[in-house]
Structure formats: structure tokens, C-alpha cells
Amino acid sequence: MEENIFQEEPQQDENLLKFKNNLLAVRQEIKKLLIGQDQLVDLMMVSLFTQGHILLEGVPGLAKTMGAKLFAKSLSVGYSRIQFTPDLMPTDVVGTSVFNMKESEFKFSSGPVFSNIILIDEINRAPAKTQAALFEVMEERQVTVDGTTYPMEYPFMIIATQNPIEQEGTYKLPEAQLDRFLFKIKLDYPKLEEEKIILRRFRSDFSEELMKTVNAVLTESDIREGASYVEKVHIKDEILDYIANIIYDTRNNGDLFLGASPRASLALMRASKAVAVMNGRDYVIPDDVKLVAKPVLNHRIILNPDRELEGIEPEDVIEEIIKKTEVPR
């Protein structure tokens, strides 16, 4: 899916216009440093307004970490970065109870996951027990330690990265955890002209002074307002049936060993509503569903081994399913 999600359409509503201006402001800040990743920015905005999480996959050097950091800098909210390593413990992520000698009692010391935008770098480098520490917080936006539950502040969004090539010292994410990500975004190499722009942009910025020019343009209030507006976007029953048919087909497809879950249906619906608003509408059309179907589903399905050996990609199967699913009028 190479097309941008954000498209030019006439604005008909003051709230839609404000939403669009906020999107343009964020994109303008991020594009000060990030070259040729418009789709990534759009999908991060969709995830923000639908309370989703993102998994970024790509070889080293494709600005996965930079993209997440720039996105966080464009928002006036908290940001933390956690480098996952093989020796990282669950308490290093969520926190632990520490005995207070003065008061003679245990007090909870929160970990770096207690922030708003959390970058988890190389998520597949930590073992299963550390990955499992994210299960509750990703789904329920809370952490339970020693029987006490601690809720996350709003907004809460995890952006995780992983390298698909290097396998030594990595631990594959379980399906249950992959299903908690709204999107899996596969980043590719920049085009030749984009590579030239990158070199020109950074030829005199060895000390990364350009990073300081990125400003926070959206507040927590702006994010809440945008999310509330997305939630109210109209989606008619025929489009809901269209989403259900796409998901159902993944469970009855000869090319797939595992189909998508009901969580995928809800994710596709929410993402489609956000895309509709980004394109200047307060209602969803089938094209909105098609635009986000691949990043929503590519990590939630498993190919049959023989199809995988043939070099078929999950996106190829998703494309075929979309083509043969009847589009509502």
C-alpha cells in the first residue's frame, strides 16, 4: 500500500477543518527531518486517535526510531524510550514495589511504560516473560503489581520496532501480542530522489541540531477532541458487513493457516473511521476500509507453510480477499 492516506477533499464542517489543520501541523513538523514516510505519519495519527499501538518493521537505518521520536516531539505529551534486550526484566518495564525504610512500607516505583508515547526499540530482543509484561498494559491500559492496579494516563500509545532480517538473539512475538497492535507497518528503502534529499538535508547537521526545530503542535486536549470526533463518525451497516465479510474470509481461506480475530474487525472499523475524518468526511466509505486493511491484517494472519515457501506474502492474500469481496453501494 504505497498511496498516502491523507487526501485532499473539500471541508464541510468546522470540526473537520480543525482536524485537518492539526494533521497538517503534525506532518509539517515531522517532515522537517523525516523524508518520504508520509504513510507512516498518517498511520501513526490514525493510531493516536483510535487508541491503538503500532509495530514498525524494517531493516536497520530506515528511521523507525526517528519517526517515532519525531511523532512524540510533535505532541505536547510525555515520551519514553525502552531498549529491549535479552536481559531486560518485566520490572524494568512496568516498575516494582520498593520498601521505604522511613515509612516502613512498600511503595510502587513506576517503570518507563508509565508515559504517553512509548517507543519500544527492538521489541523482539527481549524474552517472552518481558514481552508478556506488555499484555495487560497494551489491551487494558493499566498495570497490576502486587494486587494493585495502576491506570495509564491519556493518551497511551506504544510504538514498537523490530528488525525482520537479523534472527540471532531475537524472540518471536506471540500471536496474542501481535493481535494487540492496531497496525504492523513495513518500511522499505527510500526512493533515489528521497535519498538525495536526505543527504542534502543532513549534510551539515552532524550534531543533530535540526531535531531541536521540531515543535509540539498538538496538546492532550486536541487529541481527546480529535478522538471523540472520530468515535462519532457514521459507518452504515453495509460497511460493517463489508468489514465482517473480509475478516470472515481470512478464516475460510485455503492460503491461510490462521485467520483474523474479532479484535481485527474492531481495529479495521476504528481505523476506517479515522481515515474518513482525515479525508474530510464524517462518514466511512469502502475505500477507507481498503486503505487500512493491509496494515491492520498483515500481522494477524498466518500463511499455510506451502504458500509461504512459494514466496507469497500476507499482503498478497489480503489483496485477493479484498478484490473478491463484494463492495457495498
Side-chain angles (χ1 to χ4, degrees):
M1 186 177 66
E2 295 181 356
E3 64 269 33
N4 294 334
I5 291 194
F6 183 76
Q7 301 166 358
E8 292 291 339
E9 285 201 11
Q11 300 295 315
Q12 303 172 341
D13 181 272
E14 184 177 338
N15 290 321
L16 283 174
L17 182 60
K18 182 178 180 181
F19 196 98
K20 176 185 176 181
N21 289 337
N22 285 339
L23 290 173
L24 290 175
V26 170
R27 177 180 282 185
Q28 184 177 3
E29 292 302 314
I30 295 176
K31 284 177 73 69
K32 289 178 179 178
L33 276 80
L34 194 65
I35 310 299
Q37 297 286 6
D38 289 347
Q39 185 199 65
L40 170 60
V41 178
D42 290 341
L43 291 178
M44 286 195 294
M45 293 298 291
V46 170
S47 185
L48 178 68
F49 290 118
T50 57
Q51 299 189 62
H53 309 292
I54 290 180
L55 178 61
L56 301 180
E57 183 177 275
V59 298
L62 294 184
K64 299 186 297 295
T65 301
M66 175 184 279
K69 188 174 181 180
L70 291 172
F71 178 67
K73 280 183 67 67
S74 70
L75 309 175
S76 186
V77 296
Y79 167 76
S80 67
R81 179 183 184 276
I82 311 173
Q83 179 66 53
F84 269 31
T85 57
D87 61 346
L88 193 74
M89 300 296 290
T91 53
D92 297 328
V93 177
V94 301
T96 187
S97 295
V98 179
F99 187 71
N100 188 315
M101 296 289 290
K102 183 179 292 186
E103 300 181 12
S104 298
E105 63 179 5
F106 283 93
K107 286 197 172 182
F108 178 67
S109 176
S110 60
V113 78
F114 281 83
S115 189
N116 299 116
I117 308 296
I118 297 94
L119 169 63
I120 298 180
D121 221 354
E122 296 186 298
I123 188 172
N124 57 341
R125 286 212 169 273
K129 63 181 179 181
T130 304
Q131 294 177 7
L134 298 173
F135 272 50
E136 181 184 13
V137 73
M138 289 181 70
E139 182 66 16
E140 302 172 49
R141 287 168 173 76
Q142 64 182 33
V143 167
T144 302
V145 178
D146 295 333
T148 303
T149 299
Y150 304 91
M152 298 292 114
E153 295 182 356
Y154 182 90
F156 178 74
M157 176 180 172
I158 286 177
I159 304 175
T161 72
Q162 69 175 14
N163 175 4
I165 304 299
E166 188 176 355
Q167 298 300 321
E168 186 176 350
T170 62
Y171 303 83
K172 185 178 179 181
L173 297 180
E175 298 304 321
Q177 186 160 31
L178 287 172
D179 203 32
R180 282 165 165 76
F181 286 100
L182 176 67
F183 296 131
K184 178 181 177 182
I185 305 172
K186 297 182 178 181
L187 302 183
D188 204 352
Y189 290 110
K191 299 175 182 176
L192 177 59
E193 289 306 313
E194 292 170 346
E195 190 98 29
K196 293 177 180 178
I197 295 174
I198 291 171
L199 290 170
R200 286 168 172 76
R201 181 74 53 89
F202 295 99
R203 62 180 162 188
S204 300
D205 189 41
F206 289 6
S207 57
E208 298 186 354
E209 289 296 315
L210 283 176
M211 184 68 75
K212 299 177 182 178
T213 67
V214 178
N215 302 308
V217 292
L218 284 194
T219 64
E220 177 191 338
S221 176
D222 294 327
I223 298 169
R224 283 187 182 275
E225 187 176 330
S228 176
Y229 191 76
V230 167
E231 192 174 5
K232 296 173 184 175
V233 168
H234 178 67
I235 180 167
K236 60 183 181 179
D237 289 344
E238 290 82 356
I239 302 247
L240 292 177
D241 292 343
Y242 179 57
I243 292 173
N245 288 335
I246 291 173
I247 300 300
Y248 185 77
D249 205 353
T250 66
R251 304 170 192 162
N252 298 274
N253 191 293
D255 294 331
L256 298 179
F257 174 75
L258 179 70
S261 69
R263 189 187 278 129
S265 302
L266 294 171
L268 191 51
M269 177 191 69
R270 291 168 180 163
S272 300
K273 294 176 76 169
V275 170
V277 179
M278 293 174 73
N279 286 330
R281 282 177 278 99
D282 59 0
Y283 58 91
V284 178
I285 63 174
D287 284 348
D288 299 327
V289 178
K290 294 177 183 178
L291 278 170
V292 290
K294 290 180 182 178
V296 167
L297 298 177
N298 63 8
H299 58 297
R300 304 176 193 266
I301 59 176
I302 298 179
L303 293 171
N304 278 330
D306 54 342
R307 300 299 283 166
E308 193 170 4
L309 288 173
E310 294 173 11
I312 302 296
E313 295 289 338
E315 290 81 2
D316 300 328
V317 179
I318 297 168
E319 182 71 28
E320 287 300 316
I321 290 173
I322 291 173
K323 284 181 180 179
K324 69 180 184 180
T325 303
E326 183 178 356
V327 179
R329 297 184 180 275

